């Protein structure tokens, strides 16, 4: 089975303990939108305090069913010129309960024009909050979406000598400019093509041990997920626009590739247009999508059962392939 959609409440998941490898979803953003079913308001809109309490229950349930991480793509809202720190509140309250987490990632997008009001800045990032069941994740590949490093440890220039001269991380004075690599990228002068550099490791007793360190072939991509435009043909499927708040496929792809093994199970308790499930199936994982609204379960099913032409994406992500439902 490549995917499954079903109607369910995110706070009462019909799954056994530790039965999925990863949870990725985007819950409603406080009271930002009304969610309707057959013209009826489901009463999902919440103020900042109600949202945090509700998401604590949802997160606890997600941590119950996952073996690995829980990722929430979310953002606070501004009301009466006052920002509601919903995401920050959830992180802090979870920490007070002793729950485990990782530093959040951030989805960098082109914000909605006017989202900063008449005195503040446009909102160009959203949180990707990261919680986890165990301190050591059962499976991770944090370079799965990485690229070859541009520089060695410390960046192009690391420090100045006492005479004011700059010395780069390779111990050379870069006075002759930069050279070009075979792929056309620039290389700092003084850097050999293959080198072992010193890495200072902190020991448990507080001392430092210097070890040889070979720069990685693929660098960790960091916590900023850049997708740029999010409308038009940038979401991966035309049916995504039938949901109130879809996100592009690049967002769940980062976490699925990095935190769920091939053949593993990925759950989205807020499946909406089925983006997370669609990406999971394309990447050789089993996607499970739950949504409170039956109409959204049907939307996800239609998305995965309707073949579509590959979407050209600017990122290095795998090109979407035509999919059929099981």
């Amino acid at each position: 089975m490549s995917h499954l959609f079903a109607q369910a409440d995110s706070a009462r998941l019909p799954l056994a303990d530790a039965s999925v490898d990863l949870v990725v979803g985007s819950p409603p953003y406080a009271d930002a939108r009304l969610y309707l079913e057959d013209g009826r308001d489901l009463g999902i809109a919440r103020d900042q305090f109600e949202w945090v309490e509700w998401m604590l229950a949802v997160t606890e349930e997600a941590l119950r069913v996952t073996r690995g991480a829980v990722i929430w793509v979310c953002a606070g809202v501004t009301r009466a010129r006052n920002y509601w720190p919903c995401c920050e509140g959830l992180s802090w309250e979870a920490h007070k309960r002793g729950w485990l987490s990782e530093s959040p990632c951030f989805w960098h997008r082109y914000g909605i024009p006017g989202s900063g009001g008449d005195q503040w800045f446009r909102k160009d990032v959203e949180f990707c909050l990261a919680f986890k069941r165990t301190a050591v994740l059962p499976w991770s590949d944090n370079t799965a979406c990485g690229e070859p490093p541009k520089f060695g440890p410390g960046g192009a220039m690391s420090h100045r000598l006492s005479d004011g001269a700059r010395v780069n991380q390779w111990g050379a004075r870069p006075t002759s400019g930069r050279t070009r690599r075979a792929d056309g990228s620039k290389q700092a002068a003084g850097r050999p093509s293959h080198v072992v550099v010193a890495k200072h490791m902190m020991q448990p007793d507080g001392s430092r041990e210097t070890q040889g360190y070979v720069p990685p072939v693929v660098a960790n991509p960091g916590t900023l997920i850049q997708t740029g435009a999010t409308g038009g043909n940038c979401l991966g499927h035309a049916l995504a626009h039938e949901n109130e708040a879809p996100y592009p496929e690049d967002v769940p792809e980062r976490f699925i590739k990095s935190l769920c093994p091939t053949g593993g199970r990925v759950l989205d308790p807020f499946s909406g247009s089925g983006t997370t499930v669609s990406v999971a199936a394309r990447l050789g994982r089993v996607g499970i999508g739950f949504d409170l609204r039956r109409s959204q379960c049907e939307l996800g099913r239609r998305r995965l059962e309707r073949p579509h032409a590959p979407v050209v994406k600017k990122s290095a992500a795998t090109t979407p392939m035509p999919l059929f439902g099981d």
Side-chain angles (χ1 to χ4, degrees):
M1 181 181 68
S2 68
H3 66 271
L4 168 70
F5 290 100
Q7 188 174 10
D9 185 344
S10 57
R12 299 175 181 83
L13 299 172
L15 294 172
D17 294 358
S19 57
V20 302
D21 298 282
L22 174 66
V23 177
V24 181
S26 183
Y29 297 178
D31 67 350
R33 289 180 176 83
L34 294 178
Y35 289 86
L36 306 177
E37 185 75 289
D38 298 326
R40 178 172 55 91
D41 181 3
L42 298 182
I44 294 176
R46 298 172 172 87
D47 68 23
Q48 54 189 322
F49 305 106
E50 294 169 335
W51 189 89
V52 169
E53 288 301 316
W54 171 64
M55 281 302 298
L56 284 169
V58 170
T59 303
E60 185 173 31
E61 182 72 345
L63 288 169
R64 178 186 67 81
V65 304
T66 187
R67 288 186 283 268
V70 173
I71 308 294
W72 299 136
V73 181
C74 50
V77 298
T78 299
R79 296 290 179 263
R81 298 182 183 272
N82 182 42
Y83 171 68
W84 289 2
C86 300
C87 307
E88 298 90 332
L90 173 59
S91 293
W92 179 239
E93 291 300 324
H95 179 70
K96 287 165 59 178
R97 294 186 178 199
W99 296 357
L100 301 173
S101 63
E102 293 284 358
S103 59
C105 293
F106 297 90
W107 167 27
H108 178 215
R109 50 173 290 180
Y110 296 151
I112 299 172
S115 57
D118 60 358
Q119 67 178 9
W120 202 240
F121 308 107
R122 187 185 65 206
K123 297 176 180 178
D124 282 355
V125 295
E126 296 187 9
F127 284 94
C128 299
L129 301 180
F131 303 94
K132 55 186 179 180
R133 185 186 179 99
T134 57
V136 178
L137 293 170
W139 189 93
S140 69
D141 179 3
N142 59 4
T143 61
C145 296
E147 297 179 351
K150 296 180 180 179
F151 305 108
M157 304 294 176
S158 59
H159 63 281
R160 289 182 182 271
L161 299 179
S162 58
D163 62 1
R166 284 187 178 273
V167 175
N168 67 16
Q169 69 274 25
W170 312 108
R173 299 195 183 203
T175 57
S176 58
R178 296 176 176 226
T179 59
R180 290 278 182 180
R181 299 188 183 95
D183 63 2
S185 59
K186 290 184 177 180
Q187 173 175 302
R191 171 180 175 174
S193 58
H194 300 283
V195 68
V196 175
V197 299
K199 182 178 182 180
H200 304 287
M201 306 293 292
M202 183 69 74
Q203 301 302 305
D205 62 0
S207 62
R208 288 179 177 270
E209 177 183 338
T210 301
Q211 300 177 346
Y213 174 66
V214 179
V217 176
V218 178
N220 187 310
T223 57
L224 185 63
I225 304 171
Q226 296 179 289
T227 61
T230 57
N233 294 322
C234 301
L235 293 176
H237 200 289
L239 288 178
H241 295 282
E242 294 189 21
N243 178 264
E244 295 90 343
Y247 55 19
E249 293 188 347
D250 285 346
V251 176
E253 184 170 291
R254 166 71 68 89
F255 301 109
I256 293 171
K257 280 186 174 181
S258 305
L259 301 174
C260 180
T262 301
R265 298 187 182 97
V266 179
L267 167 67
D268 186 347
F270 308 97
S271 62
S273 64
T275 299
T276 299
V277 176
S278 177
V279 174
R282 169 164 60 80
L283 296 177
R285 280 75 167 172
V286 177
I288 303 172
F290 292 147
D291 203 284
L292 193 60
R293 295 181 293 174
R294 187 175 184 83
S295 63
Q296 299 305 290
C297 299
E298 175 64 20
L299 174 58
R301 185 191 65 79
R302 287 192 290 127
R303 174 174 181 163
L304 267 77
E305 293 184 356
R306 179 180 299 177
H308 64 282
V311 177
V312 178
K313 300 196 293 183
K314 295 181 179 179
S315 71
T318 306
T319 302
M321 298 297 292
L323 292 172
F324 297 86
D326 289 342

